[in-house]
């Protein structure tokens, strides 16, 4: 899988077999987001479980809202394993992109949802 295959920046609901992190609540209006291919989400899920104890595998097929604190903890967890070398992998690119996207959303008035498959 190439870097571009792991994730796509989105506006509104993403189509296909993806797990999407997005501004907004469902049902309701979904704004900017990042859609992650199902296989690539497997790399993120352990980090998500570690920072959000109420996350379950079942949420992968539904909706889960990330608190502001959970957003910051997830971004920090993802950044902690990103390689700074010139040999960055697609995983590093995915983790950096998602961490950056989450860090841009520190406002508790703007919900961030994880929209499952």
């Amino acid at each position: 899988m190439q870097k571009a295959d792991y994730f796509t920046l989105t506006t509104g609901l993403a189509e296909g077999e993806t797990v999407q992190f997005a501004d907004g609540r469902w049902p309701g209006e979904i704004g900017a987001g990042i859609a992650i291919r199902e296989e690539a989400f497997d790399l993120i899920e352990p980090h998500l479980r570690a920072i959000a104890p109420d996350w379950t595998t079942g949420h992968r097929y539904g909706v889960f809202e990330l608190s502001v604190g959970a957003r910051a903890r997830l971004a920090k967890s993802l950044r902690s394993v990103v390689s700074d070398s010139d040999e960055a992998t697609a995983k590093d690119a995915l983790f950096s992109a998602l961490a950056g996207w989450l860090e841009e959303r520190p406002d508790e008035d703007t919900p961030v949802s994880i929209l499952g498959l």
Side-chain angles (χ1 to χ4, degrees), residues 2-91:
Q2 297 177 0
K3 289 181 186 182
D5 291 336
Y6 272 178
F7 67 92
T8 305
L9 297 177
T10 60
T11 302
L13 285 175
E15 295 182 12
E17 303 234 342
T18 63
V19 176
Q20 183 180 12
F21 288 73
D23 293 330
R25 282 192 179 98
W26 184 260
E29 191 168 321
I30 299 300
I34 182 167
I36 299 165
R37 289 188 50 145
E38 182 181 10
E39 313 86 69
F41 186 74
D42 290 341
L43 302 170
I44 292 168
E45 192 168 25
H47 296 272
L48 186 56
R49 279 194 186 147
I51 62 90
D54 46 344
W55 170 268
T56 66
T57 301
H59 285 107
R60 223 179 149 121
Y61 304 98
V63 178
F64 184 83
E65 193 168 316
L66 274 180
S67 69
V68 173
R71 292 178 222 171
R73 289 189 304 274
L74 180 56
K76 183 177 179 180
S77 178
L78 294 172
R79 288 216 186 272
S80 74
V81 295
V82 170
S83 171
D84 291 332
S85 75
D86 291 338
E87 313 241 343
T89 65
K91 177 182 168 183

Side-chain angles (χ1 to χ4, degrees), residues 7-9 34 36 78-79 82 90-105:
F7 67 92
T8 305
L9 297 177
I34 182 167
I36 299 165
L78 294 172
R79 288 216 186 272
V82 170
K91 177 182 168 183
D92 292 330
L94 169 64
F95 282 17
S96 291
L98 181 55
W101 189 89
L102 291 167
E103 290 163 347
E104 292 171 1
R105 285 150 178 80

